[in-house]
């Protein structure tokens, strides 16, 4: 297999693998290296549609942006989209191939995909100077090692050196590093080159004795200590958790241009997907975005957003159980702004015919927008573009629901009735002119003296953030040693740390 490479693993989920991978990619591309990201298998409700119409994880799309290349299905060949506690939709090379239980997937299907995953990685390595791969969870999940295709399974087969990232902000990072290596088989341990400490606060000199002891215990060096920085989280993978880190700003609201701020409440639906749609709103000076799950939290909101979800009917029931459905109906009747995106758009309609996702048949929607929804077995994956509110706008679509709009005014292939808006288009708010026009409408309806900042460029803010990730690697990692690792693989003669993985 040709081409240089590296696998970024983590001691835990959310240790910072996605951020470190993006940072290494941006550092490399600034050195003139033609680089691509890769994640063999991703579990996420936060996805993206490539230009060829393939669905991949949004983190890999952002990592491709860090590489300054167009994302493709090769960069994330397997995507699992949870539909509940025990089952997921399996997306293979950008297309859904069915629902599967966790037992069924890990019981045989996952291992059968290894050849496809390795073929995709080989194609990338034959095209790019380097491929920076991201693992998933922890490489020391010994109950899943036999069928692993994303951590040590891919590292061993593709002969990739492994860099293990640990989040020191959680505590116990030395035990996590040591334990991760000690639970791997001798063959797997030979791939693990060393460690990278993430989210460190304080004086690095106080940490250095521990790093020296870790090296003496494991025979492996630490390639860098990255300081804690606010607002560096790229698009989240885990859609089962609510995150307000945002893509650009972390709970930081710039001063408003006008006299008022604009308050946005996002309903934290079950199985919420592509909640990063609201990141572009959070990037606007004077816009305050928060996730909510109680009806009283809608009272002072100038705009309520109902985001996408992998469980539209389940989300409808949740809204009704919590009293949010009644609060939304009152809000719409009072002509107070509501925006539904994808599943949120479907929820606002008259009824849903669902024999695909929930298999519940006909279910009444909230009846706020004039549309009927029928779930098709074929998923719509598209990259639409058009105009709304006098401004150009682009987006992407990922949905099984087919909407029949029966009234209202046209809005991004959806509709608008009064101050309630609905569309299947994700990402539309990233179009700067459209976002500003939409916020002006919201402010007028809400009676707020809010003025959108004229110069906010969401794309520029994302580029700025990716450069900050590249700076983090360049300034706080041993980049010469990191490049030798990418170019030549793990050092020879690394010691075995007992007890190793059980047979």
């Amino acid at each position: 297999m040709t081409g240089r490479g590296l696998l970024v693993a983590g001691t835990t989920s959310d240790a910072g693998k996605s951020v470190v991978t993006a940072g290494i990619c941006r550092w490399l591309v600034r050195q003139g290296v033609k680089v691509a990201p890769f994640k063999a298998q991703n579990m996420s409700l936060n996805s993206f549609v490539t230009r060829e119409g393939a669905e991949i994880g949004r983190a890999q799309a952002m990592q491709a942006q860090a590489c300054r290349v167009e994302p493709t299905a090769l960069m994330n060949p397997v995507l699992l989209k949870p539909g509940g506690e025990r089952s997921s939709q399996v997306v293979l090379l950008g297309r859904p191939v069915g629902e599967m239980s966790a037992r069924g997937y890990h019981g045989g299907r996952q291992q059968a995909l290894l050849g496809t995953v390795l073929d995709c990685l080989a194609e990338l390595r034959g095209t790019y100077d380097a491929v920076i791969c991201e693992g998933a969870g922890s490489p020391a999940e010994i109950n899943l090692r036999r069928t692993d295709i994303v951590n040590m399974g891919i590292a061993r087969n593709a002969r990739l050196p492994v860099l293990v990232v640990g989040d020191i902000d959680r505590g116990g990072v030395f035990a996590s590093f040591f334990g991760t290596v000690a639970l791997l088989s001798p063959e797997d341990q030979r791939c693990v080159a060393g460690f990278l400490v993430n989210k460190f606060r304080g004086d690095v000199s106080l940490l250095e004795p521990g790093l020296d002891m870790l090296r003496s215990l494991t025979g492996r060096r630490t390639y860098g200590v990255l300081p804690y920085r606010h607002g560096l989280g790229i698009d989240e993978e885990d859609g089962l958790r609510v995150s307000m880190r945002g893509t650009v700003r972390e709970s930081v609201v710039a001063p408003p241009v006008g006299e008022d701020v604009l308050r946005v409440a996002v309903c934290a639906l079950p199985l919420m997907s592509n909640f990063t749609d609201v990141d572009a709103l959070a990037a606007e000076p004077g816009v305050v975005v928060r996730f909510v799950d109680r009806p009283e939290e809608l009272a002072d909101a100038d705009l309520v957003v109902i985001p996408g979800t992998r469980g539209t009917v389940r989300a409808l029931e949740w809204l009704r159980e919590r009293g949010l459905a009644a609060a939304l109906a009152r809000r719409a009747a009072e002509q107070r702004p509501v925006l539904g995106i994808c599943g949120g758009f479907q929820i606002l309609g008259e009824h849903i015919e669902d024999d695909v996702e929930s298999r519940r048949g006909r279910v009444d929607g909230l009846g706020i927008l004039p549309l009927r929804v029928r779930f098709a077995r074929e998923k719509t994956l598209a990259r639409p573009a058009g105009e709304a509110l006098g401004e150009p706008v682009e987006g992407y679509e990922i949905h099984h629901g087919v909407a029949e709009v029966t009234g209202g005014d046209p809005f991004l292939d959806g509709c608008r009735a009064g101050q309630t808006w609905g569309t299947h288009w994700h990402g539309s708010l990233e179009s700067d002119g459209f976002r500003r026009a939409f916020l002006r409408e919201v402010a007028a309806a809400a009676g707020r003296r809010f003025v959108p900042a004229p110069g906010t460029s969401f794309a520029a803010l994302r580029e700025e953030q990716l450069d900050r990730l590249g700076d983090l690697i360049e300034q706080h990692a041993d980049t010469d040693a990191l490049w030798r690792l990418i170019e030549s693989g793990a050092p020879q003669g690394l010691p075995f740390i007992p007890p190793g993985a059980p047979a």
Side-chain angles (χ1 to χ4, degrees), residues 216-235:
S216 68
L217 287 166
T218 67
R220 290 156 175 86
R221 61 165 297 171
T222 297
Y223 284 78
V225 177
L226 308 185
Y228 189 97
R229 291 287 187 267
H230 286 277
L232 288 183
I234 67 173
D235 290 9

Side-chain angles (χ1 to χ4, degrees), residues 426-458:
H426 294 289
S428 62
L429 294 167
E430 295 178 20
S431 298
D432 298 325
F434 166 74
R435 182 181 64 253
R436 287 192 278 268
F438 177 70
L439 289 176
R440 282 192 289 269
E441 292 251 358
V442 168
R448 296 287 185 189
R449 290 172 292 183
F450 169 84
V451 178
T456 303
S457 166
F458 188 68

